[in-house]
Amino acid sequence: MPSEPLPILLLNGPNLDQLGNRQPEVYGSATLDDVVGLVERTAAGLGYGVRALQTNHEGEMIDTIGAARGEISGIVVNPAGWTHTSVALADALVIPEVPVIEVHISNVHAREAFRRHSYVSPIAAGVIAGFGVAGYEYAVRHLVTLVS
């Protein structure tokens, strides 16, 4: 009997716990619970489980990534504000054995100039931006094609 695939690690960075309340004109009305549910349903339909973390603490995210080595199939990450500021997060995401898909709910390229730079994008297998929370579903589907 084949073994079950390792779960997908879903990471959401600072302020994403405020989805549904914070700037709905930019981020929509879906909550973080809606996002996690969407990812879990999508992954389950493809035969994968999900481990989810949202944190406003960069060190917690980095520790979670380090502890997950060898225990996950891949990572879907919305680094939020750390996208543009965190070399440390980008370094933690360099795990050659698992692909990383970077997700942004808004189209970061149509916003302020500082949002156009990402420390994560150069190490990501793909970047999805501007599709609202549906981008998370697209990320999971693409991630599974990379690890299957």
Side-chain angles (χ1 to χ4, degrees), residues 8-147:
I8 294 167
L9 182 59
L10 170 64
L11 300 172
N12 281 285
N15 300 311
L16 290 168
D17 57 332
Q18 297 302 309
L19 283 177
N21 296 319
R22 181 176 167 251
Q23 293 181 280
E25 70 282 2
V26 175
Y27 301 107
S29 60
T31 66
L32 181 61
D33 286 341
D34 296 332
V35 168
V36 172
L38 172 64
V39 168
E40 289 175 339
R41 286 188 306 278
T42 303
L46 298 167
Y48 286 78
V50 174
R51 286 192 205 167
L53 170 73
Q54 184 284 322
T55 183
N56 295 316
H57 304 281
E58 186 176 15
E60 181 180 7
M61 185 172 284
I62 291 168
D63 289 346
T64 297
I65 294 165
R69 287 191 86 133
E71 298 179 5
I72 55 170
S73 292
I75 299 172
V76 172
V77 60
N78 183 338
W82 295 325
T83 304
H84 326 290
T85 63
S86 184
V87 172
L89 177 60
D91 285 349
L93 287 166
V94 177
I95 305 174
E97 63 272 19
V98 300
V100 173
I101 306 293
E102 179 182 356
V103 176
H104 298 283
I105 296 169
S106 69
N107 179 357
V108 293
H109 302 287
R111 297 182 63 195
E112 303 93 337
F114 76 88
R115 295 186 192 276
R116 296 179 194 138
H117 173 75
S118 170
Y119 284 103
V120 175
S121 293
I123 59 97
V127 179
I128 298 170
F131 290 95
V133 297
Y136 286 91
E137 177 181 351
Y138 307 150
V140 169
R141 290 187 181 284
H142 184 63
L143 184 71
V144 167
T145 66
L146 296 174
V147 298

